[in-house]
Amino acid sequence: MARDWRELFITGEAPAAGDTPDNAEEPEKRRGFFRRLRENMAKTREALATEIQATLFDTLDDETWERLEEALIMADVGARTTAGVVGQLEQEATSGEVEGGPALQERLVQLLSGIAKTGTDTIDLRHEPTVIMAIGVNGTGKTTTIGKLAWHLRQELGKTVVLGAADTFRAAAVEQLAVWAKRADVEIVTGPENSDPGSVAFEAVKRGREGNFDVVIIDTAGRLHNQDQLMDELSKIRRVIQKQMPDAPHETLLTIDSTTGQNGVRQAKLFSEAVPVDGIVLTKLDGTAKGGIALAIAGELGIPVKLIGIGEALEDLRPFDADDFARALVVSA
């Protein structure tokens, strides 16, 4: 799975001199982020740790597996995904394939990581320009994520970016995106308040094409996933974009607030029924004991988590790494 920005994005460009994975600074950055991830997922890990320690290091019987199942479900890994993981682990333990507490814990990490490795975990930036559409309900951190993503594209990959403020019904959303555009040193296309979102998206893509920008990111209104009319509007925006670029948007990212638990899984399901969803941005992992939602979405819907947010700082938005995530979820030390 993607571990840093250059592994997340496909650019077709050779790394610049001194900017290879062997760069001494990069491994330290990765270790630093993993430490922050573990710290910010402490609530989830603590909720699991007691049961995992009590089950996998003690007698293995029916009650053991039931308690582990309950612990994973409480962490929002999801009932179906949990049943598959626990069933596999029980089978391997019973057959003697995996023996001993430490080995079982490590195998649990591997199984959870494997579930998260679904679909395509990269974002292809080889289009001219690449059009990314951001969707999600109000309050998930969607607009902030767009701003941070634009900043990383500009600062770390040297990409030129234009933002499209197609959330025209909420003035604060346009203002917030404008602040991020200035901070990230990227352009922004806006329209009058209450103007047609599709027209703003059209103009943003037009600006991206005519100005030879690398990436266009379209912000859409915070959809309430149970309102069919608003969902229909997402489809309309896609059609408007496709009038200029038939293969666009090239990436549709759905932002999910991890604190919403299983409701987030339902949101992902309903949004994916309205428009093709290529990846999930999972935010607010610093404030929840239910971080397993990443595994539930991947396991039940087959949609990969591509980005995670664990705080307010720019560096707290990072590409998702399944191995690191599973380890931070389970391993206490």
Side-chain angles (χ1 to χ4, degrees):
M1 299 294 281
R3 298 196 67 190
D4 66 19
W5 295 101
R6 295 186 182 278
E7 291 169 323
L8 172 66
F9 294 113
I10 299 174
T11 64
E13 302 168 358
D19 196 28
T20 66
D22 293 329
N23 188 306
E25 184 180 8
E26 188 59 32
E28 181 55 36
K29 284 183 179 179
R30 294 183 183 190
R31 285 192 293 270
F33 180 75
F34 178 64
R35 285 193 295 269
R36 286 185 54 77
L37 176 63
R38 290 193 73 260
E39 290 167 2
N40 287 322
M41 289 186 67
K43 292 180 182 179
T44 302
R45 190 169 56 256
E46 287 166 6
L48 282 171
T50 301
E51 291 303 325
I52 290 173
Q53 296 296 327
T55 56
L56 299 187
F57 289 86
D58 207 342
T59 304
L60 298 179
D61 54 22
D62 289 344
E63 184 180 356
T64 295
W65 305 115
E66 288 175 8
R67 289 174 63 184
L68 178 58
E69 212 170 60
E70 289 172 3
L72 290 171
I73 289 173
M74 287 297 292
D76 266 334
V77 172
R80 190 172 73 185
T81 303
T82 293
V85 168
V86 175
Q88 179 70 20
L89 195 63
E90 181 179 4
Q91 185 273 322
E92 293 180 9
T94 302
S95 68
E97 187 176 343
V98 181
E99 296 181 343
L104 284 167
Q105 180 174 264
E106 184 61 29
R107 182 57 178 148
L108 176 60
V109 170
Q110 292 173 0
L111 290 171
L112 295 175
S113 173
I115 289 168
K117 295 176 180 178
T118 185
T120 302
D121 72 324
T122 54
I123 298 175
D124 193 342
L125 296 183
R126 292 175 293 181
H127 308 278
E128 297 180 351
T130 297
V131 179
I132 299 174
M133 189 166 80
I135 62 177
V137 302
N138 288 323
T140 58
K142 173 174 55 62
T143 303
T144 298
T145 295
I146 291 169
K148 291 179 179 180
L149 181 57
W151 187 92
H152 283 287
L153 284 166
R154 175 75 170 166
Q155 298 298 321
E156 301 197 31
L157 276 75
K159 298 298 181 182
T160 54
V161 182
V162 59
L163 307 181
D167 186 354
T168 58
F169 298 107
R170 192 167 65 92
V174 178
E175 293 169 3
Q176 183 185 11
L177 196 65
V179 170
W180 271 109
K182 183 176 181 180
R183 184 177 182 184
D185 191 24
V186 301
E187 283 200 27
I188 184 171
V189 173
T190 64
E193 189 174 351
N194 296 322
S195 61
D196 178 50
S199 67
V200 177
F202 184 91
E203 291 300 322
V205 174
K206 181 180 179 183
R207 175 63 185 139
R209 296 179 68 205
E210 293 178 349
N212 294 317
F213 283 82
D214 297 312
V215 183
V216 179
I217 307 178
I218 307 294
D219 187 14
T220 64
R223 306 297 172 194
L224 297 174
H225 60 274
N226 58 350
Q227 295 189 12
D228 292 339
Q229 183 178 354
L230 296 180
M231 286 296 195
D232 289 342
E233 190 175 285
L234 286 180
S235 297
K236 176 186 174 184
I237 292 174
R238 285 181 58 87
R239 291 194 299 272
V240 167
I241 292 172
Q242 288 167 352
K243 287 181 180 179
Q244 295 188 75
M245 299 186 71
D247 60 341
H250 306 102
E251 189 79 21
T252 298
L253 295 175
L254 171 62
T255 303
I256 296 289
D257 177 347
S258 62
T259 65
T260 60
Q262 287 300 301
N263 188 47
V265 180
R266 288 190 288 274
Q267 287 177 22
K269 183 176 186 297
L270 291 166
F271 271 99
S272 64
E273 290 171 352
V275 293
V277 176
D278 300 295
I280 301 294
V281 181
L282 193 60
T283 62
K284 306 182 185 180
L285 277 168
D286 52 326
T288 180
K290 298 180 177 293
I293 183 178
L295 305 175
I297 292 173
E300 295 180 24
L301 302 179
I303 303 174
V305 176
K306 297 193 177 184
L307 291 160
I308 57 174
I310 59 170
E312 297 298 322
L314 283 165
E315 61 269 21
D316 291 336
L317 177 71
R318 291 288 297 181
F320 178 73
D321 182 284
D323 296 325
D324 282 355
F325 187 86
R327 196 163 298 281
L329 187 70
V330 172
V331 180
S332 58

